[in-house]
Every structure is written in structure tokens, then in C-alpha cells.
Amino acid sequence: MDFFRKCIAFHIRQSNSYLLTILVRTNGKDTTSALDVDYSAAEILAIKGCQYVRFALDKPVLRLYKFYYSMYWYWIVWFADIALLLLPCIERPAYFESVPKWVALIIEIIAISVLLASFIISMHMQNQRKLIREAVYPYVFIIVFLLTIADMIVYYVLIWNNDNTRYIRWSRPLRVLFPFALQSGQHIRRVVRNILRTLPNIANVMVLFLLSVLTFTLLGVGMLRSRNLVHPNRKDQYFTNYIDTAWDLYVLTTTANNPDIMMPAFNVSILYVLFFMAYLLVNLYLFMNLLLAVIFSNYKQHLMEEQQVIHKRQLDTLTIIFQRLSSNNSTNYVSYNTYEQLMRAMKPDVTETIIDAYWKTLDVPNKEDGLDLKKFNELLLNLNFDLRQRNDDQTILQKYCPKFYNSKPSRFIIDFVNTSLFRTIINLLIIANAVCLAASYNELEWFFLAVFILEALLKMYAYGVRDYFHHRWNIFDFIIVFVSTTYSLVSTSVQVKFEGNVLDAILVFRVLRLVKLVGNVQRFKVIFGTFSKVIPTLMTYLRVMFMTYYVFSMIGMELFQRKIIFVDKNSTLSYPCNNSALVDSDFAASNYCRNNFNDYFSSLIVLFELTVVNQWHVLASGFVLVTTKVARIFFLAFHLCAVIVVLNIFTAFVIDSFLNQYTLSKSKEFPWVEQENIITDRLTRQGFRVIRRYDNIKQSEEERKKKFNLLDSLRAFVKPSVSRRMTTILESSRDDERTLLLRWSGHVDIDPDALLHLSDEAS
């Protein structure tokens, strides 16, 4: 704790020193306080990052904000969170049983300490009264932290000298709440809040669905009880017990036991099939689809409500920032000196040219006029565009060998790499490589490797190393080529014989070269590009799904550990799965003994199998046999939470996000293009040369439908190219200072139009 207090005190001293520097720079030119500039810069950065932080108004918060949301601290907290979630691997019942118990203790203490430090820092930079009054997550963190510490102390005191002590770690399911209860976990809270808001509407459909299941249960028992049929799985009476029948029909909704559950009645009379057909039509095809429709509709509604809340917060923030920056100015404008302080606070390494360029994007005639509320609002949007001087984006060869890089042979290579002809040649070679792999013809392996290595080197030369690794497809290509090359070199020079698993992995990497084709085909590229934009938010939903898995795995291990044990075929044990209750059961007959809750990894695998729902009733039946029928409640609860609720909301998110992003990518009518055009026009009129990183001009239908022609590609390459990549157009460096690279760098969740018109609603 003392260490964290010293860290916070150090950042406060640094912040005070930073504020003093700002005051010295102004030389009394402006009366805007450095504290106001510090607060405003932090708020603007939070808006850019789509983060809602209740900043304290009476102390410097910018440095703490930058530290808290820095990539380094993010990964430290991330590793601490992952360590807690993976800690059950070495806790009893442990997958790695040989790990000493003090290792788990040290890891848990370090991870909780890091999360506590993150909580303290977030509390220190925020308005604590407002935070405690409005938010719930600080209380959640404190309660979970205290309960975890208490449980940890009791647990280790009891088992330290006696490993046979039986103690339930009841606080382990609460660990998933740590990331939820941190300031940086607001995206997870948003997803959980969306789920909770959707539950009432889901409950309405679920009540009708369960009533339908019960109705068919009464009908089925009434029709088939007198037939004295035998159940196909349990070998007991069929459709005689209401609870068992309701369970079988619920499982039938997932189609896991279809048509097995129907066959005994079908064998008696074909008319009984109508009963099961009616059940599936009503409950599977009607209620389940209705449930998805309700979830999707409510998801979109809650998403719109969430956007309105964010819009309101941004409006309040804009008003507060503008008032603080213009409060000491008699004209109620933000002066140029204040604007300059603000830019240097947000970007300490920003140059005078860039500061002037951002000012020019606002189309303010004179610096003495200052910024009114509308122009300041536009500045918030323009800061989401990345403006850089051309010489800051140069490759190493451009900086240190400009004559060589701009020579005719070099230009020829660079232009060739940026043509469709180059991509077509690479695609043909990938297909040829695939044919050789399928025919097990390895004589040309070194040739293909050399070509793909040359491709990577040429791209690095043309784009620059930094820009090359900026694109995910290039990273994917590089990994495949690197692994394949390393394997070939080691196997050839050292004569190492790899094991079968290693060879299989290497073969997979070689076959993955075919995926490079997807990256070079425009239609596929749009789909995968759309998916890559959805991934950041998608990971949040996957994390919530994993939180559900974690909670149920902890509960499952406490309920079912050592009830089912995997035994080798050569074992002398007389009972399957080491339990007499499983004799002649479908669970044992299917060799499912490995599916158990004896350790963390096995528990997660069982839960994943339950999510897929294929044969999930057989899995559940095994644990019911070794315990009681009450165990069905655990599996029913997991199916309702994970499959019915979370997985359907996850599906609704994927559909909505993918359709939105795909429509934008397909039409190329991105919401920020209009503002980018305005910025480009204003900077051009002010004497700047603007290079737009991506071509945002909408292609015509004829160009999009035009098929590739080899001769046309050759003519286009020989003919001087008009659409060369922007970093290769500039052959001289004399106008680098007035040449700016412009691209949209805003967060994927930012709505440019809504952000631009905040001032229209401000009073």
C-alpha cells in the first residue's frame, strides 16, 4: 500500500511541476488557469477514447488519466485479471497438482494488489462525491475485495498445515466482478447493463415458453402413461413422471435428444409423431425465434438509449470545458493562447505547424478572434483526425537515403508493389503452392518460400516497416512466412526430427497461406475488414460469456468434483468412471468419463460442450446419476443463462454490428468523410498540401463491376500512375513542412455527426 501511495504522490508532484511549466510558457499572456487547461485536456482525451470519467475539478488529473489509460498500465491490469481467472488451475482441485500452494497465494496477492492500485488511482483522479453518489461499481469493488481477503485468509490458515482440510472457496466466483468494478471496465458494465435491461422482456417470452412446455408435458403424460413404454436412454418408464417428462421435452427444444425421445411412441403408432411435431413447431421454431427477435429488438433499443446518455454526457462536458476555458475572458471566447496550451497539454510533442494546422481546420480568420462554442465543438471532432507532417511519416530510407529512394529504379519497384498486377502474381503463386501441398510435392517449397519472403521485403520497402506491420493482413503473412522459413532452415541445417504434433502444426501454417488469397480479394477483404472493426467490442461480449463460464465452473467443481473420474482402458477398476451408479448408462457407454468437473480446464470444456447442446442431456444425465435429480437445476440454469440469454444477446450484437459496418464498408459513405472533405478544403486554401491516407472517393458501379484484365493491368503499370500511394507521390522534400497527412483516427464508437452538433443543443 505504501508503494502505491508513493506512486500517486509522485504523479501529483509531476502534475504540479507540469502545471507550473504551462504557467511559465504563457508568460502572463492569458489568464486561463493551468488547472482548467489540465481538466479540459483530460476531458477531451476521454471523449476521444469513448470513456466516461467523473474528473475531479480541484486538482490536476491529466497525468493520472494518461497513466491509467496508457498501454503499459492496461497490460499490467490485464495480466492481473487473467492471473486471477487462471488461478484455479493451481488451486484445489488443481489441474497442475504439483505446484506448491504458496505459489497460488503469491499470485493471488500480487494480482489483487494490482487491481487495488488501479482502483485507488481511478478514485484519486475522479470526483469522489459525484462518483459515490452516481456509480455502484466502487461499492462492488470494495465488497468483493473485502470478501476475497477474508476468504483467502481463512482458506490458507486452514490448509497450510493440513492439506486434507475440506474448505469451499466461496469467493472464487466473485473474482469475475473485479474487472467489472474498475473504472476501465465500463464497456463490460455496459454489456451487463444491456443484458439486465433485456431480462424483463426475455422473461415474458420465457414464461410463455415454459407454460407451453408444461402444457405439452401434461398432454404427453396423459396420452402415453398407459402405454407402459420404456425410455430410450434411462431404461425406465416412458412419459409417466411429470418432472422427467418436462425435462425431456425441454431438452427436445434444443434438438439434442431428437428423434430418440420420439421413437418409443413412434414405434407404437405413427399418430404420436404429430404430438412431437406440434411441440417442435411451437416451442423450437416459434418461441425460440421469437425470443431471438425480442432480444434483438431490445438490444437495438437499449443501444439507442445508451447513445442518448453518451450524447447527453458529451453535451454537459462540452459546456463545462468551454465555460472553464473562457471564464476569465471578457468576450466569452477561447483565445488562441488557451487553445495552444490545450494542444500542448494533450500532445506534449506537437509541433507549431500542427497546432497552427488544427486551428486552420476551424476556418477562423484571425487568431485574435478566438473560438466560440460552435467552433470549439468542431475542434472536438477535428481532433479525432490525425494530422501529421509528411516528414514524420517517412520511412528510414526516405529520411536517410532520399536520392536512392526517389530514384527511377526505386520508383519502379514501389509502383509495381502497389499495382493489382503484383497482387495477382502473388495470388497465382499461392494457388500453385496449394496445389503442390495437396499433391505432397515438396520440391518447390524453397522456391515458394523465397517468393513469399521477397513479397514481404518488397512491401516493407514500399510501405515502410512501421506501416507494413500496421495492417493485420501483413502481420498474418509475416508470421506464416517466418514460421515456415524457421522450420525449413532448422530441419535442413540441423537435421532435427520433429514430433508428429509439431509437424502437424507446421503443416497447418503452410496451408494457412491460402488465407492470403482472402486478403487480396476485394470482396472478401470488405467482409474481413468489417469483422476486424467489430472485434474490439466483440471481445467485450466474449469476456462476459467467459465470466458466465467461470462462475458456473467454480460452482460445478464444488458440486461434482471427484464424482466422475476418468480411468484408462487398461485400468483394473470394475466400475465405469469409478462410480457404480454409471453402470449401463449412456454416459459411460459414450466414453464421457473425461467430461467431469475435477479441475478447471475440464470444467470449462464441459460447459463449452453444454453450450453446443449436442448430447448435452447425456452429459447432464451422468452427473444426475452420481448425485440426485436436483443436479438438473445446475444444467438448466447454465443453459438459460449462457445459451438463452448471453449467447442470444451476443448473436444480436454480431448481426447488428456486422450489418452496420458492412453497409458502411460496402458503400464507402463513411460518416467522417464529409468532415474530412471540409478539413482538406480549408487547409488547402491556407496553403497546406493535404494527403489523405485512404481514398474515400466512391467508386462507380462500372469500376466495381470491372473484371481484372492482365493486359489492362500491364498498360496501367507502364503508363504513369495517377493513383500511386501517397507516400511515393512526393519526390521532393522541400515542401515537407507544409505537407500534411490526414486520416480518421477516432474511436469506432464515435458518431461524428452527433459530436459535431453538440453545440446546437448547448445553452
Side-chain angles (χ1 to χ4, degrees):
M1 291 297 295
D2 292 337
F3 171 75
F4 296 125
R5 290 196 188 98
K6 290 178 181 179
C7 290
I8 294 175
F10 170 77
H11 279 284
I12 292 175
R13 290 195 299 271
Q14 291 292 322
S15 300
N16 293 334
S17 174
Y18 166 73
L19 295 178
L20 181 61
T21 304
I22 292 180
L23 289 172
V24 171
R25 282 179 177 173
T26 58
N27 293 323
K29 293 179 182 179
D30 200 287
T31 56
T32 304
S33 69
L35 190 62
D36 291 335
V37 174
D38 182 273
Y39 168 83
S40 302
E43 284 284 17
I44 292 174
L45 290 177
I47 292 176
K48 285 186 62 179
C50 285
Q51 297 140 359
Y52 176 54
V53 186
R54 302 168 180 86
F55 286 112
L57 301 174
D58 56 349
K59 56 187 175 184
V61 293
L62 180 59
R63 282 187 177 271
L64 277 179
Y65 170 82
K66 288 183 176 180
F67 171 76
Y68 187 81
Y69 284 100
S70 65
M71 189 59 64
Y72 303 106
W73 185 247
Y74 167 82
W75 284 111
I76 290 174
V77 175
W78 187 85
F79 277 116
D81 181 28
I82 294 299
L84 274 184
L85 295 181
L86 293 180
L87 196 60
C89 298
I90 57 177
E91 290 179 326
R92 294 190 309 174
Y95 185 83
F96 302 103
E97 297 179 349
S98 60
V99 179
K101 50 181 173 288
W102 57 266
V103 175
L105 175 62
I106 292 175
I107 293 175
E108 188 170 7
I109 291 175
I110 294 174
I112 292 178
S113 299
V114 171
L115 297 176
L116 178 62
S118 180
F119 177 75
I120 293 173
I121 294 172
S122 66
M123 290 291 291
H124 187 78
M125 72 177 175
Q126 297 189 76
N127 187 332
Q128 296 179 9
R129 291 185 179 180
K130 184 178 180 181
L131 181 66
I132 293 174
R133 185 174 65 251
E134 296 180 356
V136 179
Y137 71 86
Y139 299 101
V140 174
F141 184 91
I142 293 172
I143 293 172
V144 172
F145 175 77
L146 293 177
L147 291 176
T148 302
I149 294 297
D151 183 40
M152 184 172 63
I153 292 173
V154 174
Y155 172 71
Y156 282 104
V157 167
L158 291 176
I159 72 162
W160 197 259
N161 293 321
N162 187 3
D163 290 338
N164 296 323
T165 302
R166 173 73 171 146
Y167 181 78
I168 297 176
R169 283 297 304 271
W170 48 265
S171 69
R172 289 200 294 185
L174 300 178
R175 291 174 182 170
V176 297
L177 296 177
F178 276 117
F180 170 86
L182 291 175
Q183 168 62 31
S184 56
Q186 57 187 352
H187 297 297
I188 299 177
R189 289 196 296 275
R190 188 179 301 172
V191 173
V192 174
R193 189 162 54 242
N194 195 346
I195 294 174
L196 295 178
R197 289 175 179 174
T198 310
L199 284 180
N201 302 94
I202 296 176
N204 297 333
V205 180
M206 286 302 300
V207 168
L208 293 176
F209 164 70
L210 293 176
L211 287 176
S212 175
V213 173
L214 293 176
T215 301
F216 276 93
T217 299
L218 295 174
L219 184 61
V221 173
M223 289 192 306
L224 297 171
R225 178 161 41 185
S226 60
R227 292 290 184 174
N228 295 324
L229 301 177
V230 179
H231 195 280
N233 299 116
R234 294 193 298 269
K235 309 305 179 184
D236 56 5
Q237 288 186 327
Y238 176 76
F239 272 63
T240 56
N241 183 283
Y242 287 106
I243 296 178
D244 290 343
T245 303
W247 171 260
D248 290 332
L249 289 178
Y250 182 85
V251 173
L252 181 59
T253 309
T254 66
T255 69
N257 59 351
N258 184 57
D260 296 351
I261 195 64
M262 180 181 67
M263 294 312 298
F266 185 19
N267 294 332
V268 173
S269 173
I270 194 173
L271 295 177
Y272 287 126
V273 176
L274 298 176
F275 168 79
F276 293 97
M277 291 177 62
Y279 177 84
L280 288 174
L281 287 173
V282 172
N283 294 284
L284 174 60
Y285 296 110
L286 177 61
F287 276 110
M288 289 297 104
N289 289 321
L290 180 62
L291 184 68
L292 179 59
V294 169
I295 290 175
F296 183 74
S297 175
N298 282 272
Y299 166 79
K300 295 199 70 172
Q301 179 184 347
H302 296 148
L303 188 64
M304 292 176 62
E305 293 173 355
E306 195 80 35
Q307 291 297 328
Q308 291 175 357
V309 172
I310 294 174
H311 184 73
K312 176 65 168 58
R313 288 172 180 170
Q314 291 175 343
L315 174 61
D316 295 339
T317 302
L318 169 68
T319 307
I320 294 173
I321 293 174
F322 186 79
Q323 287 176 350
R324 294 194 68 161
L325 294 179
S326 61
S327 59
N328 296 320
N329 195 321
S330 58
T331 59
N332 200 29
Y333 280 75
V334 176
S335 67
Y336 183 83
N337 290 329
T338 302
Y339 157 78
E340 187 176 5
Q341 295 176 46
L342 187 65
M343 291 295 295
R344 294 193 181 279
M346 291 186 294
K347 302 179 179 180
D349 57 344
V350 68
T351 63
E352 292 287 348
T353 303
I354 298 300
I355 293 176
D356 182 59
Y358 273 109
W359 180 270
K360 294 289 185 0
T361 63
L362 304 174
D363 200 24
V364 179
N366 299 313
K367 294 182 179 179
E368 292 77 12
D369 294 339
L371 302 177
D372 59 10
L373 181 60
K374 188 173 183 60
K375 288 297 182 183
F376 187 76
N377 182 189
E378 189 175 0
L379 175 64
L380 293 186
L381 175 60
N382 291 355
L383 288 174
N384 287 283
F385 291 90
D386 185 25
L387 269 177
R388 285 187 293 169
Q389 291 175 269
R390 186 250 177 177
N391 51 12
D392 293 334
D393 197 56
Q394 289 180 332
T395 64
I396 297 176
L397 288 174
Q398 280 178 294
K399 288 182 178 180
Y400 299 104
C401 305
K403 291 184 178 180
F404 173 78
Y405 191 82
N406 293 320
S407 62
K408 289 184 178 181
S410 175
R411 288 290 172 210
F412 180 86
I413 295 174
I414 294 171
D415 286 344
F416 177 65
V417 171
N418 286 280
T419 59
S420 58
L421 177 62
F422 178 78
R423 291 191 296 271
T424 303
I425 293 174
I426 296 298
N427 289 343
L428 292 175
L429 289 171
I430 293 173
I431 295 174
N433 186 207
V435 172
C436 292
L437 286 174
S440 299
Y441 184 74
N442 297 321
E443 300 299 327
L444 296 177
E445 179 62 22
W446 279 107
F447 168 75
F448 289 117
L449 269 180
V451 170
F452 294 138
I453 292 173
L454 181 62
E455 177 205 4
L457 293 176
L458 288 176
K459 285 185 176 180
M460 290 182 192
Y461 178 80
Y463 306 153
V465 176
R466 182 179 61 182
D467 204 14
Y468 174 83
F469 286 105
H470 181 73
H471 299 282
R472 295 185 180 92
W473 280 114
N474 292 337
I475 297 175
F476 178 77
D477 291 348
F478 182 82
I479 292 174
I480 293 176
V481 173
F482 178 79
V483 173
S484 301
T485 305
T486 304
Y487 162 72
S488 299
L489 289 174
V490 172
S491 60
T492 302
S493 59
V494 186
Q495 299 296 327
V496 178
K497 291 185 178 180
F498 292 98
E499 297 181 0
N501 294 334
V502 178
L503 290 175
D504 292 341
I506 297 298
L507 179 61
V508 168
F509 267 95
R510 292 169 63 187
V511 173
L512 281 177
R513 293 177 191 166
L514 288 173
V515 185
K516 287 160 62 75
L517 287 172
V518 177
N520 291 335
V521 178
Q522 184 61 31
R523 294 182 180 180
F524 296 154
K525 207 170 184 178
V526 169
I527 296 176
F528 276 83
T530 301
F531 183 71
S532 66
K533 293 176 183 177
V534 177
I535 283 178
T537 313
L538 188 69
M539 296 304 296
T540 305
Y541 281 84
L542 289 176
R543 189 168 183 174
V544 172
M545 189 70 182
F546 182 78
M547 289 167 62
T548 309
Y549 273 47
Y550 179 86
V551 171
F552 277 93
S553 66
M554 295 299 104
I555 298 174
M557 283 194 294
E558 298 296 346
L559 293 176
F560 305 117
Q561 60 175 293
R562 312 303 297 174
K563 299 290 185 182
I564 296 175
I565 299 175
F566 174 72
V567 292
D568 189 77
K569 293 182 179 179
N570 300 324
S571 175
T572 57
L573 294 176
S574 57
Y575 298 123
C577 305
N578 198 30
N579 197 311
S580 59
L582 295 175
V583 175
D584 296 330
S585 66
D586 288 341
F587 187 92
S590 302
N591 294 320
Y592 283 174
C593 299
R594 193 66 182 265
N595 296 312
N596 54 58
F597 285 91
N598 295 339
D599 57 74
Y600 185 43
F601 289 149
S602 298
S603 303
L604 294 177
I605 292 172
V606 172
L607 293 177
F608 180 76
E609 292 171 345
L610 293 174
T611 306
V612 178
V613 304
N614 188 30
Q615 292 289 86
W616 76 284
H617 64 295
V618 178
L619 291 170
S621 67
F623 295 96
V624 169
L625 289 173
V626 299
T627 53
T628 64
K629 291 184 178 180
V630 181
R632 288 174 177 169
I633 297 176
F634 172 83
F635 297 95
L636 180 64
F638 176 78
H639 187 267
L640 289 173
C641 293
V643 180
I644 299 296
V645 178
V646 179
L647 196 59
N648 274 317
I649 289 181
F650 176 78
T651 304
F653 160 76
V654 171
I655 293 173
D656 183 65
S657 299
F658 188 83
L659 286 178
N660 291 337
Q661 292 291 337
Y662 183 75
T663 302
L664 288 175
S665 301
K666 200 69 174 157
S667 64
K668 298 191 178 295
E669 293 176 353
F670 300 104
W672 38 263
V673 171
E674 182 179 355
Q675 186 65 18
E676 187 181 79
N677 294 334
I678 294 173
I679 292 174
T680 303
D681 180 63
R682 289 174 178 175
L683 290 175
T684 303
R685 284 191 280 107
Q686 295 292 335
F688 287 97
R689 184 176 186 180
V690 180
I691 299 174
R692 301 166 70 166
R693 175 68 70 176
Y694 303 109
D695 182 16
N696 299 317
I697 301 173
K698 187 177 180 180
Q699 294 177 322
S700 64
E701 288 295 325
E702 293 78 11
E703 290 174 334
R704 268 184 280 180
K705 294 180 180 179
K706 187 177 180 181
K707 296 182 179 180
F708 175 78
N709 187 292
L710 182 60
L711 294 177
D712 291 343
S713 299
L714 288 171
R715 294 193 197 99
F717 173 64
V718 175
K719 185 179 177 181
S721 177
V722 179
S723 57
R724 291 177 181 174
R725 189 176 181 277
M726 291 310 177
T727 54
T728 65
I729 289 178
L730 302 176
E731 298 186 2
S732 63
S733 59
R734 59 178 179 270
D735 59 345
D736 281 347
E737 187 174 349
R738 303 291 291 179
T739 301
L740 301 176
L741 301 176
L742 173 66
R743 68 174 177 181
W744 170 260
S745 60
H747 196 276
V748 68
D749 291 332
I750 287 181
D751 183 356
D753 187 65
L755 186 60
L756 179 62
H757 296 98
L758 284 176
S759 58
D760 297 343
E761 303 176 31
S763 59

